[in-house]
Amino acid sequence: MPLSPAQADKTLRRRREILRGASRVFRRRGLHATGMREIAAELDMHVGNLYYYFRNKQDLLAFCQQDALNGLLSRARAFRQEALRADTQLFKLIYAHVHLLNDELPASLAHLEVEALEPADRRSVLRQRDAYEELLRQTIGEGIQAGLFRQTDPKVASLAILGAVNWTVKWFRPGGPAKISEIARHFAEYLVTGLLAPGVEPAFPDSIELPILAEHPSLPTVQPQ
Amino acid sequence: MPLSPAQADKTLRRRREILRGASRVFRRRGLHATGMREIAAELDMHVGNLYYYFRNKQDLLAFCQQDALNGLLSRARAFRQEALRADTQLFKLIYAHVHLLNDELPASLAHLEVEALEPADRRSVLRQRDAYEELLRQTIGEGIQAGLFRQTDPKVASLAILGAVNWTVKWFRPGGPAKISEIARHFAEYLVTGLLAPGVEPAFPDSIELPILAEHPSLPTVQPQ
């Protein structure tokens, strides 16, 4: 029996809470030394209860990446609809990426491990990732066409950006002295400035409103058994 | 009985060859799904022969990271001795980093997995990594002091750089259409340009000579049994 929308929302919220707890264990023990038992212990859950939300650790890793990419993609699309200058658009995209991975959906190392997914999940994550990278390349390409950005290879530049922003989950510590909004702004300024054509005054936003992350009823959800 | 210098050199060369083969399997199967048996098969070695060079997979991962960090550190120190402008120095450092990880000592994902190391190896790798990051921060700090770079946080900038350059091992394919020297130059230009103070003309080298990677007799070497 399919879940009702209210049930699906509740399950999604709970799955995100579980990831948040799991990410604390991943940081302490490493991703691969951590099993479902340790994750359940961190959350004071019975492990049987954890299996209600995730079939296994692969399922948890896949959900983490799909949920994050859904959020990144929906925001990147929203920014593109705003018809901003390419430098402003790229700034917001980088800011939102760092913010989402480290504050809204923090799951630390679990975000990076495409290689650890089962083939079917890996394919779906790679499709989402390709779509996101394409938006990033388009934004850079439009900046070049508009004369805002230097002549450069949008593909190589976008891979440099993705490396810098994804790597933040390796070192950023939630609750530490650095605030994620400052890190995110710093990264956005640095990585957009490196692309500017000589003499261009960048248009960086003073404040950024991030669209609320949608609930994703289309995500595969474990059914009550 | 300690190895003679000639034996130690030969062992080191062989260990690097093994890593090169291992990295191909890591790309296909993922780092954590790959065992010593698959690595031996890729290299047409008996697995017992592989254990002569590496006690286990942890040992192989630790060697990979220590060997790479030794190379990165020795080059970063050599560049600092040349008393270059900070922008030139940073350019060379980024270029050399991308080149070493993807061409000279390619081991793909194995470079990134500090979390997968045993505590003792992890501590030694983190010490080397801290020393390397310190050189990077110093170079950026000197550029700011000299008025070549904008006022920025050298720590955050260096973490952005490290993310971008380390991430290359996730996507660069040796033997593919893109040449690593072009990627390395592209990264160096992009990541130094993002730091330049307004109006500064960067001093980027036309060609880069990389110091030959030293043999490292100080590295732990498995003894013949």
Side-chain angles (χ1 to χ4, degrees):
Chain A
M1 203 176 68
L3 297 176
S4 72
Q7 284 172 317
D9 282 4
K10 200 174 149 201
T11 302
L12 179 68
R13 277 199 302 278
R14 188 67 184 128
R15 294 178 104 194
R16 286 179 177 164
E17 280 166 23
I18 291 170
L19 268 189
R20 207 173 267 269
S23 84
R24 294 192 295 267
V25 202
F26 293 153
R27 282 211 192 84
R28 283 202 306 273
R29 300 174 54 97
L31 186 63
H32 292 274
T34 302
M36 293 292 268
R37 197 166 294 276
E38 287 84 18
I39 296 171
E42 172 76 21
L43 290 150
D44 264 332
M45 283 172 88
H46 284 283
V47 70
N49 198 4
L50 180 58
Y51 282 113
Y52 174 86
Y53 292 98
F54 295 105
R55 281 189 308 278
N56 50 40
K57 203 175 92 182
Q58 298 278 347
D59 186 31
L60 182 147
L61 292 179
F63 168 76
C64 167
Q65 298 184 29
Q66 286 158 350
D67 194 31
L69 279 162
N70 277 338
L72 296 174
L73 264 170
S74 70
R75 284 188 178 162
R77 286 177 181 137
F79 296 152
R80 286 184 71 74
Q81 302 250 320
E82 294 173 30
L84 304 162
R85 268 174 57 151
D87 52 349
T88 314
Q89 194 168 123
L90 185 61
F91 186 103
K92 290 180 82 164
L93 206 145
I94 293 168
Y95 183 98
H97 192 126
V98 172
H99 198 269
L100 184 143
L101 288 195
N102 292 284
D103 185 90
E104 295 160 281
L105 301 178
S108 76
L109 307 169
H111 284 302
L112 308 182
E113 294 282 323
V114 181
E115 296 82 8
L117 304 181
E118 307 277 1
D121 288 330
R122 197 196 281 214
R123 276 193 297 275
S124 108
V125 164
L126 289 178
R127 259 199 309 275
Q128 285 176 292
R129 207 179 67 178
D130 287 348
Y132 183 65
E133 289 184 20
E134 177 61 28
L135 290 179
L136 188 52
R137 284 195 298 272
Q138 279 174 11
T139 305
I140 296 172
E142 286 165 14
I144 297 171
Q145 285 220 314
L148 294 165
F149 295 159
R150 311 182 272 117
Q151 290 296 330
T152 190
D153 182 338
K155 185 163 178 197
V156 180
S158 67
L159 289 165
I161 292 172
L162 287 169
V165 298
N166 285 334
W167 194 256
T168 54
V169 307
K170 284 244 189 195
W171 56 265
F172 182 74
R173 293 288 163 267
K179 279 177 64 181
I180 195 61
S181 55
E182 284 162 22
I183 304 278
R185 171 166 286 277
H186 203 115
F187 267 57
E189 278 180 11
Y190 175 31
L191 296 166
V192 176
T193 300
L195 293 174
L196 292 175
V200 169
E201 268 303 312
F204 293 153
D206 288 330
S207 68
I208 296 211
E209 275 201 41
L210 296 175
I212 289 171
L213 288 182
E215 311 291 330
H216 304 297
S218 64
L219 278 178
T221 307
V222 177
Q223 301 290 316
Q225 277 148 7
Chain B
M1 204 174 69
L3 297 176
S4 72
Q7 283 173 315
D9 281 4
K10 200 175 149 201
T11 303
L12 179 68
R13 277 198 302 277
R14 188 67 183 126
R15 294 179 103 195
R16 286 178 176 165
E17 280 165 26
I18 291 170
L19 268 189
R20 209 173 266 268
S23 84
R24 294 192 294 269
V25 202
F26 294 152
R27 282 213 191 83
R28 284 202 306 272
R29 301 175 54 98
L31 187 62
H32 292 274
T34 302
M36 293 292 269
R37 197 165 295 277
E38 287 85 17
I39 296 170
E42 172 75 20
L43 290 149
D44 264 332
M45 285 172 86
H46 284 283
V47 70
N49 198 4
L50 180 58
Y51 282 113
Y52 174 85
Y53 292 98
F54 294 106
R55 280 189 308 278
N56 50 41
K57 204 174 93 181
Q58 297 279 348
D59 187 31
L60 182 147
L61 293 180
F63 168 77
C64 166
Q65 298 184 29
Q66 286 158 350
D67 194 31
L69 278 162
N70 278 338
L72 295 175
L73 263 169
S74 71
R75 283 187 178 163
R77 287 179 181 135
F79 296 151
R80 285 184 73 72
Q81 302 249 320
E82 293 174 31
L84 304 162
R85 267 173 58 151
D87 52 349
T88 315
Q89 195 168 124
L90 186 61
F91 186 102
K92 291 180 80 163
L93 205 145
I94 293 168
Y95 183 98
H97 192 125
V98 172
H99 198 270
L100 184 142
L101 289 195
N102 292 284
D103 185 88
E104 295 160 281
L105 301 178
S108 75
L109 305 169
H111 283 301
L112 308 182
E113 293 282 323
V114 181
E115 295 81 7
L117 302 182
E118 307 277 1
D121 287 330
R122 196 197 282 213
R123 275 192 298 275
S124 107
V125 164
L126 289 179
R127 259 198 309 276
Q128 286 175 291
R129 207 180 67 179
D130 287 347
Y132 183 66
E133 289 184 22
E134 178 60 28
L135 290 179
L136 188 52
R137 283 195 297 272
Q138 279 174 11
T139 305
I140 296 172
E142 286 165 13
I144 296 171
Q145 284 219 312
L148 294 166
F149 294 159
R150 311 181 272 118
Q151 289 297 330
T152 191
D153 182 338
K155 185 164 177 197
V156 179
S158 66
L159 289 165
I161 292 171
L162 287 169
V165 297
N166 285 333
W167 195 256
T168 54
V169 307
K170 285 244 188 196
W171 55 265
F172 183 74
R173 293 287 164 266
K179 278 178 62 181
I180 196 60
S181 56
E182 284 161 22
I183 304 279
R185 172 167 285 277
H186 203 115
F187 267 58
E189 279 181 10
Y190 176 31
L191 296 166
V192 176
T193 301
L195 293 174
L196 292 175
V200 169
E201 268 302 313
F204 294 153
D206 288 330
S207 69
I208 297 211
E209 275 201 40
L210 295 176
I212 288 171
L213 287 181
E215 310 291 330
H216 304 296
S218 64
L219 276 178
T221 307
V222 176
Q223 302 290 318
Q225 275 148 11

